[in-house]
Amino acid sequence: MGRDDPLDTYLVHHPEAIFQRPVESTVLDPDNPYVLAPHLCAAAAELPLTDDDLTLFGPEAGALLPQLERRGLLRRRAGGYFWTRRERAADLTDIRGAGGKAVQIVESATGRLLGTVDDASAHASVHDGAVHLHQGRTYLVERLDLDDAVALVGEADPDYSTIARENTSVSVLSTDLEESWGAARVHFGSVEVTHQVVSFLRRRLITGEVLGETKLDLPPRSLRTRAVWWTVTEDQLEAARIHPEELPGALHAAEHASIGLLPLFATCDRWDIGGVSIPLHADTGLPTVFVYDGHPGGAGFAERAFHTARGWLTATREAIASCECAFGCPSCVQSPKCGNGNEPLDKRAAVRLLDCLLARETVPESDAERIAAGRVAPEPTPTDPEAGPAPTEG
Ligand SMILES: [Zn+2]
Ligand SMILES: [Zn+2]
C-alpha cells in the first residue's frame, strides 16, 4: 500500500522501478572509521585480530588499529590485537569516538526510568516543554539537563503536540568529486553540518493549528560527514522563470523530495540522511542544495547519490510533477522531519528548478539509449505555472 511520502508516490506511478530492476546493492562505506572501528573491536573481542585477519576488513583497517590502541580499546600482543575492556564491544557507546551519553528519561514524581533517547536526537525530542509519548501515555518534559544527560518528565494530558524547529547550516570542507551538467554542477565531498534547536511549536491535536512558538536555549551541535550538493546559476534561474521570492521554496521543496527518493537509489532510510537548501551559499556563491549522511564520517549514501545523481534527481522531478496535489503534500515535497515546519515550499517552482538542473546541451548516451528503447518519454513536459491548479483525479 502506498503511504503519504515521495518514495511511495513515485513507486505508485513507476511500478517498474520495483518489478523491472535487478536486486539493489546495499550501501555501506566499509572504510568509514566510524563504521569500521566498532567492527574491529567486536571482532577482536571474539578472537585476537592477527595481520592475516586485516585483509578481511579492507585497506583502512591497518591504519585504524594503532588509533584504537591509543584510545585504550585494543592492546597489541604477540598473538595479535586484543580487546581490553570488561564490557562487550557491542555495548560500548563511546566506541564511535563521537556522540555523548544517551539521555535518560525519568519521571520526576517517582524517579522511574522510562527510557532513553540518543544524544543526537535529545535536543529535538526531549527539550524543555516537549510532549513525549511513552507506551501510550503522554508526558511533558519539565527540564532537560544536558550536563547530567537526564530529561525529567511528568505525566500530562496536553491538547497539543510539539515540534522542534532547528537551524542547520553546512560548510564545505573539501570537494572530492565534481560533475558539470551544462551550467549546473553536482559535487561530492566532506562537510561540517551544524544544527541548533532554537524553538518549538505547539500544534493543536487533530487540526494541526499552531498555538504558539517557544524559544529554547540549546547549544549547537556539529557533525562532520559526507554530502552531495548541486548548484544552479543565476542565468539558469532566469531561464526557468524562478523569481527570487520563489527560490527558497523551490530549493527547499526539491531538497525534501530528493531526500524522500534517495532510498530508491541508495539502500537507506530518509531518517539516515539530512538536507539543507540555501539561495546563496557562502562556499559555493550560488543557490545550493545539500544532502548529507546523518552518520559521522558518512555511511556511503551521499556518495551513492552522487554516482546516481541523474537518475535520482530525474526521479525526484517526476515524483513532484506527477503528484496529484496542487501545492505540495506529504507525498511529494513535505517532509515529516523538516526543521523549518515545511516552510517555505514551492512545488511548481521546484519542478522548473529541477528541469533547468537536469537540462543539458547534449543528450548523454545512456539517456539516448533509454529513449531509443522506449522506456522513457523523450522530453518531460515542463509544468506551466500559468495553467492553474494541477489536475486531480477522484
Ligand atoms: Zn503532493
Ligand atoms: Zn525542510
Side-chain angles (χ1 to χ4, degrees), residues 298-324:
F301 307 135
E303 186 167 11
R304 178 59 63 89
F306 176 83
H307 290 297
T308 59
R310 185 152 278 270
W312 167 46
L313 293 167
T314 301
T316 299
R317 185 256 176 226
E318 284 171 22
I320 304 174
S322 64
C323 185
E324 290 145 4

Side-chain angles (χ1 to χ4, degrees), residues 130-310:
V131 172
H132 178 74
L133 299 177
H134 177 76
Q135 293 190 343
R137 289 167 185 260
T138 307
Y139 296 84
L140 268 178
V141 176
E142 294 158 0
R143 198 162 64 85
L144 169 61
D145 185 330
L146 291 173
D147 293 334
D148 291 340
V150 170
L152 292 173
V153 303
E155 201 168 345
D157 187 22
D159 60 350
Y160 58 85
S161 62
T162 53
I163 180 157
R165 297 184 71 123
E166 59 186 318
N167 290 339
T168 304
S169 60
V170 175
S171 58
V172 174
L173 302 175
S174 69
T175 302
D176 299 342
L177 297 168
E178 212 170 337
E179 200 176 290
S180 295
W181 291 357
R185 295 184 84 75
V186 186
H187 313 76
F188 168 72
S190 295
V191 296
E192 180 164 70
V193 182
T194 306
H195 295 283
Q196 187 169 22
V197 174
V198 291
S199 66
F200 69 94
L201 297 179
R202 283 176 295 120
R203 305 188 87 136
R204 194 185 294 285
L205 295 175
I206 302 169
T207 65
E209 178 197 351
V210 174
L211 301 170
E213 181 170 4
T214 307
K215 294 255 178 290
L216 292 167
D217 182 22
L218 287 163
R221 304 174 48 86
S222 65
L223 166 75
R224 285 191 176 212
T225 186
R226 311 281 270 165
V228 56
W229 64 98
W230 50 267
T231 57
V232 291
T233 62
E234 289 293 325
D235 289 348
Q236 286 183 301
L237 294 179
E238 212 161 291
R241 291 170 294 129
I242 294 171
H243 302 291
E245 66 273 17
E246 292 174 311
L247 182 59
L251 291 163
H252 190 200
E255 172 218 316
H256 278 187
S258 72
I259 290 171
L261 263 293
L262 189 55
L264 198 59
F265 295 86
T267 307
C268 63
D269 189 87
R270 82 177 295 153
W271 300 87
D272 291 331
I273 41 186
V276 171
S277 52
I278 182 160
L280 180 61
H281 190 269
D283 294 324
T284 63
L286 291 167
T288 310
V289 173
F290 290 88
V291 173
Y292 59 84
D293 283 358
H295 303 274
F301 307 135
E303 186 167 11
R304 178 59 63 89
F306 176 83
H307 290 297
T308 59
R310 185 152 278 270

Side-chain angles (χ1 to χ4, degrees), residues 323-325 328-329 331-333 347:
C323 185
E324 290 145 4
C325 70
C329 70
S331 296
C332 57
V333 298
K347 170 181 169 169

